[in-house]
């Protein structure tokens, strides 16, 4: 007999959004093809790799790590965690710089977000608004509704 049937409320289980992958597709590595969830939507602006004093980290991977930390801080303000992320859109000024640092980027990503991989897109742009920025990321999360 479950706790709910016995009159005790069920614990509020939050497993985060559901990963969507068509049946005959191989599972992607490092991202998801689709995500679905229920709750409140949390959206960031374009987040760059600077700290609270607007000082940029030195180098591509260091900026990415700072962005991950910044996104995690915004998620926390909204009552969310990295497991609630459903989409990340990356903007880079040099795709080759991104590809050259994949291993280090993956390590920095997992250090901050763990092994949760939402839907992602990567776009090379001519320039970002902040001239010192090498990378900018927008994040979308679905935060479970308060019950």
């Amino acid at each position: 007999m479950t706790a709910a049937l016995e009159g005790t409320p069920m614990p509020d289980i939050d497993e985060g959004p559901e990963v969507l992958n068509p049946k005959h597709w191989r599972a992607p590595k490092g991202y998801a093809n689709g995500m679905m969830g229920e709750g409140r939507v949390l959206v960031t602006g374009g987040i760059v790799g600077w700290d609270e004093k607007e000082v940029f980290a030195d180098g591509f991977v260091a900026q990415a790590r700072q962005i991950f930390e910044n996104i995690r801080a915004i998620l926390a303000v909204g009552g969310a965690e990295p497991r609630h992320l459903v989409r990340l859109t990356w903007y880079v000024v040099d795709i080759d710089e991104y590809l050259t640092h994949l291993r280090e980027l993956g390590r920095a990503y997992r250090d901050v977000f763990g092994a949760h991989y939402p839907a992602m897109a990567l776009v090379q742009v001519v320039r970002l608004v902040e001239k010192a920025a090498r990378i900018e990321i927008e994040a979308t999360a679905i935060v479970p509704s308060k019950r």
Side-chain angles (χ1 to χ4, degrees), residues 76-87:
V77 171
E81 299 176 9
R83 65 192 166 113
H84 298 119
L85 287 167
V86 294
R87 182 170 187 77

Side-chain angles (χ1 to χ4, degrees), residues 4 9 14 27 34 36 43 49 56 70-72 82 88 91-92 97 104-105 110 117 120 130 132 138 146:
D14 170 23
M36 181 171 63
V43 179
F56 276 94
N70 293 347
I71 290 171
R72 187 176 181 123
L88 294 173
Y91 302 94
V92 299
E97 187 173 30
E104 298 97 326
L105 281 170
R110 288 186 303 277
Y117 304 104
M120 294 190 209
E130 298 297 332
E138 296 175 336
K146 296 178 182 176

Side-chain angles (χ1 to χ4, degrees), residues 77-111:
V77 171
E81 299 176 9
R83 65 192 166 113
H84 298 119
L85 287 167
V86 294
R87 182 170 187 77
L88 294 173
T89 304
W90 302 47
Y91 302 94
V92 299
V93 295
D94 183 348
I95 195 101
D96 291 324
E97 187 173 30
Y98 169 86
L99 293 170
T100 299
H101 294 96
L102 278 177
R103 186 175 303 275
E104 298 97 326
L105 281 170
R107 191 173 308 117
Y109 179 95
R110 288 186 303 277
D111 285 351

